[in-house]
Amino acid sequence: MPVVTVEGRRLPLSNLDKVIHPDGTTKGELLHYYAVHGSVLLPHLADRPLSLLRYPDGPDGGTFFTKNVPPGTPDWVNTAEVPRSGGGTQRQLVVADLPALVWAANLVAEFHTPQWRAADPAMADRLVLDLDPGAPATVVQCCEVARWLRDRLAADGLTAYPKTSGAKGLHLLCPLRPTAPSAAVSAYARALAEEATAALPGLAIATMAKRLRPGRVFIDHSQNAARKTTATPYTLRARAAPFVSAPVTWEEVEECADPDRLAFTLADLPARLERHGDLMSGLGTGRGAAPLPAAG
C-alpha cells in the first residue's frame, strides 16, 4: 500500500488503480483531484460536520450513507458531537485541512454538509434551494426557475450562488447571518418555493408528489432542515462519470440551452478554476451574508 506525505501527515492510500467511475476514472485520479483542488473545497467544509455517501466499488457497486465517524479514523482528524434529530448526539467528521481531506477522499465518498456550523448547530448560516427537474425537464428548465429565484431573493436582500448538483439539477445557496434557526430558514424557503410555483405555473412545483413532477422543476426546500445535508461545492458525485457539483456563473445559467453545457467532470475543473477562481468564495467566507427575511 503506497504511503504519501501531505503537509507532514503520512497517509496510506489504497487501490489507486481501481476503476471507480464506469467511464474508467480510477481511485488515484479521484484522490489527485481532491489533493490538487483542496484549497477551494476546504472553505466549504470548514467547521461543518461531514456526512458521507460512500461508493468504494463505484456507483454500480452500491452506495451507503454514513454520518458516524468511520472506524480507524486517525486521532488527528477533527470530529464534533452533533445533535441527533431523535435526541442525543453522534460524533461526525469535521474536515479542517488538506491531510484530512485526502484521508476522507480515500474512503471514496461524496461530501455532504448541513447549512450550519458545528460550533452552533442551532443557527443556520446558509439557505439552500435544490432545483430537481422531472423528465422531460432538464437543467435548462432549472435555469429558468433559478433566474426567477435569484431576482426574488435579491429583492429580499439575499445573494444567490448557483452550482450544478453534479446530477440533474442546480443548487442555489445564500449566505445568511448566523442568527436564524433552521426552522425559520425552512419556513422562508418553503414560502419562497410556493411563491415561485404560483409565479411559474406549469414549470415549478414546491411539493414532492411524483405524479405532478413530470416536465416541472421541483424546488426542494427541505434541505434547510437542521438534520438535512446538501452536496458540498466541488464534491465528486457517484455517477457513471466523475461529475462535480460545480459552481457556475449567472451568465452560464442565463445562456444555458443545452443540458450538456452545465455538466462538468473533474477534468473540466482546472480550466474553470484558472478562469473563474472559486465562484462561491463569498459563500465560504460568509461575505455579503444578510439577515433572514420574514417568511411570506
Side-chain angles (χ1 to χ4, degrees), residues 39-48 117 125-126 161 174-178 233 278-290:
S39 61
V40 294
L41 180 58
L42 283 168
H44 301 289
L45 294 172
D47 302 322
R48 298 186 191 275
R117 296 178 185 269
D125 67 345
R126 293 191 314 200
Y161 292 87
C174 303
L176 297 174
R177 293 179 188 168
D278 179 10
L279 289 166
M280 285 190 157
S281 62
L283 180 73
T285 61
R287 187 173 65 246

Side-chain angles (χ1 to χ4, degrees), residues 131-280:
L131 308 186
D132 184 13
T138 68
V139 74
V140 174
Q141 285 69 45
C142 290
C143 288
E144 186 175 348
V145 176
R147 294 193 295 270
W148 187 93
L149 289 168
R150 172 196 59 187
D151 295 342
R152 179 63 184 82
L153 288 160
D156 276 351
L158 299 179
T159 299
Y161 292 87
K163 69 180 179 74
T164 67
S165 67
K168 299 180 296 181
L170 286 178
H171 294 160
L172 300 184
L173 295 105
C174 303
L176 297 174
R177 293 179 188 168
T179 55
S182 294
V185 181
S186 294
Y188 172 79
R190 177 189 289 273
L192 195 65
E194 292 172 348
E195 187 177 339
T197 298
L200 302 170
L203 177 61
I205 186 170
T207 64
M208 288 188 175
K210 290 187 177 181
R211 62 184 178 82
L212 300 176
R213 291 181 59 183
R216 296 182 178 182
V217 175
F218 171 44
I219 305 174
D220 185 355
H221 48 80
S222 70
Q223 292 175 33
N224 294 285
R227 68 184 185 279
K228 294 291 191 73
T229 60
T230 304
T232 306
Y234 301 104
T235 186
L236 295 175
R237 304 302 303 267
R239 311 286 290 183
F243 289 109
V244 177
S245 185
V248 294
T249 68
W250 278 112
E251 182 179 14
E252 288 174 311
V253 172
E254 289 163 356
E255 296 178 352
C256 182
D258 180 347
D260 290 341
R261 295 290 300 273
L262 290 184
F264 304 108
T265 69
L266 61 79
D268 298 312
L269 263 290
R272 288 188 64 78
L273 288 168
E274 183 175 355
R275 179 180 181 184
H276 299 296
D278 179 10
L279 289 166
M280 285 190 157

Side-chain angles (χ1 to χ4, degrees), residues 11 15 44 69-70 257 293:
L11 303 177
N15 303 317
H44 301 289
V69 173

